[in-house]
Amino acid sequence: RPSAIRYYEKLGLLSAPLRASGRRRYGEDVLGRLAAVRLAREAGFTLAEIGVLLHGFPEGTAPQTRWRRLAGPKLRQIDELIAAAEQRRRLLLASLDCGCATLQSCAAASQLCGGDGPRSH
């Protein structure tokens, strides 16, 4: 979208384009840069992290080196998200077999069981 492209320019992810008759004119290289931004967004990187990926290394730094430096912390974050999602999944699955008389007893049973989910109480 044009608004996203202008925003990326403002953040420095894209270079300011040339102008002809007041209109922005982009070179072919902008497509590659937009593809790199999209790939990084799909990998879960924030716009600030993408800025580091694109501009936070000495000129000529190989893409593999850039990815390695940023991927480690991102993988740890994703592993934490997966663990939290799996815990929530276990809790929801356990709640399907809930035999508690009230929601309050269900919550209390969950606490007594170490958060693994409700049991019949």
Side-chain angles (χ1 to χ4, degrees), residues 12-64:
L13 301 178
L14 297 176
S15 300
L18 299 174
R19 291 185 181 263
S21 301
R23 300 185 82 180
R24 290 175 165 88
R25 299 289 180 199
Y26 295 95
E28 301 252 345
D29 62 322
V30 77
L31 296 176
R33 178 62 61 104
L34 285 170
V37 169
R38 181 181 211 168
L39 175 67
R41 294 284 289 166
E42 289 176 359
F45 289 101
T46 65
L47 292 175
E49 290 167 331
I50 294 169
V52 172
L53 183 68
L54 297 175
H55 305 296
F57 294 86
E59 188 70 30
T61 301
Q64 181 180 20

Side-chain angles (χ1 to χ4, degrees), residues 23-113:
R23 300 185 82 180
R24 290 175 165 88
R25 299 289 180 199
Y26 295 95
E28 301 252 345
D29 62 322
V30 77
L31 296 176
R33 178 62 61 104
L34 285 170
V37 169
R38 181 181 211 168
L39 175 67
R41 294 284 289 166
E42 289 176 359
F45 289 101
T46 65
L47 292 175
E49 290 167 331
I50 294 169
V52 172
L53 183 68
L54 297 175
H55 305 296
F57 294 86
E59 188 70 30
T61 301
Q64 181 180 20
T65 301
R66 295 168 187 250
W67 283 112
R68 276 202 179 139
R69 177 156 172 236
L70 295 171
K74 186 56 66 181
L75 285 168
R76 284 188 290 281
Q77 288 175 353
I78 290 170
D79 288 342
E80 289 171 6
L81 287 170
I82 290 170
E86 287 173 343
Q87 175 61 28
R88 289 182 187 119
R89 184 176 191 281
R90 285 191 298 272
L91 179 59
L92 287 170
L93 287 172
S95 72
L96 296 175
D97 294 329
C98 178
C100 298
T102 66
L103 287 175
Q104 291 80 0
S105 63
C106 196
S110 178
Q111 293 297 318
L112 291 173
C113 299

